[in-house]
Amino acid sequence: MAKANPVADQNRETVRQLHAEGLGRNAIAKQLKCSGRTISEIAGELGISFAARAGQVAAATEVRQADLADRRTAFAAKLQDIAERAAAKISQPLLYWDWGGKEHDFDTHLAPEPIPADKRALMGTVATALDRSLKLVPPKEESGVDEGLALITQLMSGLTASTKRSSRTRRPTRGRDA
């Protein structure tokens, strides 16, 4: 089993100074070439905490996640555009060209629409672009399920309240043996 290196008093003071400068636990650990756990233990012994920065870190993380969500949405729109352009080409005239032959000549031919192999390739492009776009920004549920559940919950609450009221006002009935 490996022996732990003892932490020098100088490192403890360095942790205190760097913490006062606003550095986080991992930044201090990297600078002192030790683990984050060691820095946390030293901070605990010194009575200092990194929790004060937790709110700032959470806010920065939230901003970063919102920024990434915006970028994903923008990129999904680009993929949608690619899919639409490729889908439009499936039934449009296509210019075919050829370079070669014995004389190395260049030849073009305008076809009324792409050949089946090119249509398949375009369909693959459409499918891939749409699939990736939908994975980046899935469509919102528009089935009305949430509204339906809210209505059912409201009806059940009304029935429950009505049942409780009627059971309180109902008079006990006498049986035949009474």
Side-chain angles (χ1 to χ4, degrees):
M1 187 168 185
K3 285 188 173 183
N5 293 331
V7 177
D9 288 335
Q10 180 184 1
N11 283 353
R12 292 178 197 285
E13 189 54 39
T14 305
V15 169
R16 185 186 308 275
Q17 288 174 333
L18 294 175
H19 179 269
E21 291 174 14
L23 265 68
R25 182 192 77 152
N26 292 341
I28 295 171
K30 187 174 183 180
Q31 191 167 339
L32 296 179
K33 295 181 176 81
C34 60
S35 71
R37 181 177 176 182
T38 301
I39 299 301
S40 293
E41 289 174 1
I42 294 170
E45 292 168 7
L46 295 173
I48 57 178
S49 172
F50 294 100
R53 290 180 30 109
Q56 295 170 335
V57 171
T61 300
E62 190 174 318
V63 168
R64 177 76 174 141
Q65 288 174 340
D67 181 49
L68 289 173
D70 289 344
R71 291 174 61 192
R72 278 193 304 275
T73 300
F75 195 70
K78 288 179 185 178
L79 288 170
Q80 185 72 30
D81 292 343
I82 290 169
E84 290 172 4
R85 285 193 307 271
K89 290 179 183 178
I90 291 173
S91 59
Q92 298 294 321
L94 183 64
L95 182 66
Y96 286 97
W97 57 271
D98 183 29
W99 185 278
K102 185 168 83 174
E103 301 294 322
H104 292 298
D105 57 348
F106 181 77
D107 190 24
T108 61
H109 167 70
L110 184 63
E113 63 181 34
I115 61 173
D118 291 338
K119 283 185 178 184
R120 261 191 319 277
L122 287 167
M123 286 300 295
T125 300
V126 170
T128 301
L130 283 177
D131 179 59
R132 297 303 183 251
S133 172
L134 290 172
K135 284 186 179 180
L136 286 172
V137 182
K140 292 183 178 171
E141 182 68 36
E142 297 176 7
S143 66
V145 171
D146 292 336
E147 291 83 5
L149 287 174
L151 179 62
I152 290 170
T153 302
Q154 187 178 14
L155 287 171
M156 291 303 291
S157 297
L159 285 172
T160 303
S162 175
T163 304
K164 287 180 181 176
R165 277 192 303 254
S166 67
S167 67
R168 283 183 282 189
T169 58
R170 194 179 302 153
R171 293 184 190 163
T173 58
R174 298 178 93 128
R176 289 185 214 172
D177 296 335

